[in-house]
Amino acid sequence: PIGGGGLISGIAYTMKAINPNVKVYGVQAAGAPSMLKSVQDKKIEELDSVSTIADGIAVKKPGNLTYDICSKYVDEIVTVTDDEISAAILALIEQHKLIAKRMYWSYPEIFRNNPRVEAITSMLSRTMMSMTSFCESLMEEDVKLDIHQEATIKNIRPLNPFTVQSELVPEDEKRYIKGTNTLWWESFSEFMHNTIKTEDFIARIFTDSAYAASVCNPLKFMRDLYYVAVHFHGTDQCDVSLADAFTEEEIKALWECDNAKYYMERGPGINPVYPSEQYGVYVLEDFIDRAVEDLAQDRPVVRLRFGHDGCMMVLYTVMGLPGWSDPAKDYSDIKNVWHNYNVPMASNVQMVFYRGRQPDDILVRLYINEKVQAMPFEPVGDCFYRWEDVFAGYTDVIKAGKEKLLSWK
């Protein structure tokens, strides 16, 4: 994909260095073809306006350096319409339909008793399309299902408490959540520079290492290319992989740093000075509050939330789940207690309730990615838990988490 051209410039330069015969194709939204027009006109052009659902690449004017690199190393640039982009997104979220079908057939006691299905999503197109696809899959199994779908700002807090629309993070505290302004970034940056060795990588990719260092930050270039390479695993395979640009040791080092960054931003952190993980209590609070409402109904309720992977990490952290809340001694120890790859694409969490003969005899079971997950309470049998214990325990967690955030302020 091409917006301003930074991503494809790095990819094209690297791939041509690995194999000059590789063909590199760029794709721009038809409603924002600034790079295509510039390459065709052999000079940088600025569009009067742009219009596309691909807001991340809606760029009016390419950069000077990226234009030069694209002109030299990108073999062809094509455009796609918004309809074509939408069709591709639908293809990518077919996995959600499979999860929906497995859920339907795993809980026949619920779905044969006329449940009310409540589905909410954040306001991003990809989550809205995931919700639509999931619900369509349920309807394919039973066209009479009572399904209600909603995408509004009022639902944003439990789906993404970090976003500006949630109004949870004070303006003067946003810099502490993620990125180079966090209070831990200086020590983390030192860890990255000590862990990721850029010299050999840059020497393999560029014919002139000095020139490379003059036009880009070698560490940032290496990390950005790594992110592209790992995301390519979700696409059709070709003969050449971007991962081939790295040695096995380099990939391990890059993952270790990426994993540690998530631990600091969305996990327990190391001696955390800002409790960003505690925003997960707003996600947990919605789970608990809605469960109380649903258990009081005279018919089954299936509640579906379509949110974001980082918010699942803070949820698991505040829930005290194994593998998500363990402390690390230092940055190098994080890889032993925390693994961000346990929240893959289409990751999902299910909280399932089982009612006994008595109205208050309720058990809870938790699943992560459709596998049974232990909770920090006394179990009844194989990872079943009394709802009264879960409710009381997590009510205390929610209260403590909010107090931590308020006391920091």
Side-chain angles (χ1 to χ4, degrees):
I2 302 178
L7 176 64
I8 195 170
S9 294
I11 292 174
Y13 196 103
T14 302
M15 296 306 292
K16 293 291 187 179
I18 297 172
N19 183 348
N21 296 318
V22 168
K23 296 293 185 182
V24 179
Y25 297 91
V27 182
Q28 277 202 303
S34 56
M35 183 65 80
L36 174 61
K37 182 171 175 56
S38 297
V39 171
Q40 288 176 337
D41 293 349
K42 294 184 170 50
K43 65 178 182 177
I44 294 177
E45 298 281 8
E46 181 173 2
L47 303 177
D48 294 331
S49 61
V50 293
S51 177
T52 175
I53 62 171
D55 52 353
I57 58 171
V59 178
K60 289 184 178 181
K61 180 181 178 181
N64 294 332
L65 179 60
T66 55
Y67 163 72
D68 290 339
I69 295 176
C70 285
S71 298
K72 185 175 181 180
Y73 294 106
V74 176
D75 294 281
E76 184 179 350
I77 299 175
V78 298
T79 61
V80 290
T81 65
D82 279 0
D83 286 345
E84 290 171 320
I85 294 171
S86 298
I89 294 173
L90 282 173
L92 290 173
I93 61 177
E94 279 298 309
Q95 54 192 312
H96 289 286
K97 302 189 77 169
L98 296 176
I99 296 172
K101 291 181 183 297
R102 289 196 296 270
M103 185 180 75
Y104 180 89
W105 290 107
S106 293
Y107 304 107
E109 300 89 346
I110 294 176
F111 286 100
R112 71 187 176 202
N113 284 302
N114 186 33
R116 178 180 175 88
V117 180
E118 295 279 357
I120 62 172
T121 177
S122 62
M123 299 294 289
L124 294 182
S125 58
R126 64 178 182 270
T127 56
M128 288 190 284
M129 297 181 79
S130 291
M131 178 182 72
T132 300
S133 177
F134 196 100
C135 292
E136 284 180 353
S137 186
L138 291 178
M139 291 288 285
E140 289 171 2
E141 301 302 324
D142 184 354
V143 71
K144 296 180 181 179
L145 279 177
D146 181 19
I147 299 179
H148 303 261
Q149 301 180 60
E150 188 175 275
T152 63
I153 288 294
K154 74 175 185 179
N155 295 320
I156 200 65
R157 286 193 176 191
L159 296 173
N160 190 357
F162 296 103
T163 188
V164 63
Q165 290 93 344
S166 76
E167 300 180 346
L168 287 173
V169 185
E171 189 66 35
D172 61 345
E173 294 180 23
K174 289 176 183 175
R175 64 185 182 277
Y176 302 134
I177 298 294
K178 62 186 296 185
T180 58
N181 291 321
T182 54
L183 299 173
W184 45 266
W185 187 264
E186 184 176 348
S187 61
F188 176 71
S189 180
E190 181 180 356
F191 170 72
M192 282 198 299
H193 281 87
N194 290 334
T195 304
I196 301 173
K197 308 303 181 184
T198 62
E199 293 82 3
D200 290 345
F201 173 79
I202 294 299
R204 289 199 311 273
I205 299 303
F206 295 93
T207 56
D208 188 339
S209 298
Y211 170 75
S214 71
V215 298
C216 71
N217 179 319
L219 179 60
K220 184 178 185 303
F221 173 79
M222 194 172 175
R223 292 177 66 215
D224 287 349
L225 191 63
Y226 165 76
Y227 291 140
V228 176
V230 296
H231 282 89
F232 267 30
H233 291 170
T235 64
D236 292 337
Q237 297 298 305
C238 56
D239 293 337
V240 177
S241 167
L242 283 176
D244 295 337
F246 305 100
T247 65
E248 183 176 340
E249 291 304 312
E250 287 169 348
I251 289 178
K252 288 179 180 178
L254 286 159
W255 169 79
E256 182 177 351
C257 291
D258 182 52
N259 185 63
K261 180 171 175 284
Y262 271 106
Y263 183 85
M264 298 301 293
E265 291 177 348
R266 297 292 186 259
I270 298 172
N271 300 320
V273 289
Y274 184 78
S276 59
E277 82 286 353
Q278 292 302 323
Y279 283 99
V281 300
Y282 291 98
V283 185
L284 178 59
E285 183 178 44
D286 188 69
F287 271 57
I288 300 301
D289 288 351
R290 300 290 82 76
V292 171
E293 293 177 11
D294 297 342
L295 289 168
Q297 304 301 312
D298 57 2
R299 61 188 287 204
V301 179
V302 177
R303 193 169 291 275
L304 307 172
R305 301 168 178 84
F306 296 84
H308 305 271
D309 52 2
C311 299
M312 300 180 82
M313 293 180 185
V314 292
L315 171 64
Y316 301 160
T317 297
V318 298
M319 289 179 75
L321 302 183
W324 292 101
S325 54
D326 298 332
K329 297 188 293 291
D330 51 36
Y331 289 118
S332 61
D333 186 43
I334 292 174
K335 64 180 179 293
N336 300 319
V337 299
W338 170 279
H339 303 125
N340 60 355
Y341 53 69
N342 285 327
V343 178
M345 295 299 291
S347 187
N348 60 92
V349 54
Q350 300 176 21
M351 188 176 283
V352 185
F353 296 82
Y354 301 82
R355 195 188 297 276
R357 296 182 183 276
Q358 301 301 318
D360 295 333
D361 184 14
I362 301 172
L363 297 179
V364 185
R365 211 178 198 198
L366 187 71
Y367 296 81
I368 292 182
N369 300 329
E370 301 173 78
K371 295 181 179 179
V372 175
Q373 173 68 54
M375 289 194 283
F377 306 105
E378 186 67 30
V380 180
D382 182 18
C383 288
F384 287 90
Y385 301 88
R386 294 182 179 86
W387 167 235
E388 60 188 271
D389 295 340
V390 175
F391 175 81
Y394 283 143
T395 297
D396 290 343
V397 167
I398 293 165
K399 180 181 178 181
K402 289 182 177 180
E403 289 176 349
K404 282 184 181 179
L405 290 170
L406 287 172
S407 65
W408 195 90
K409 298 166 189 174

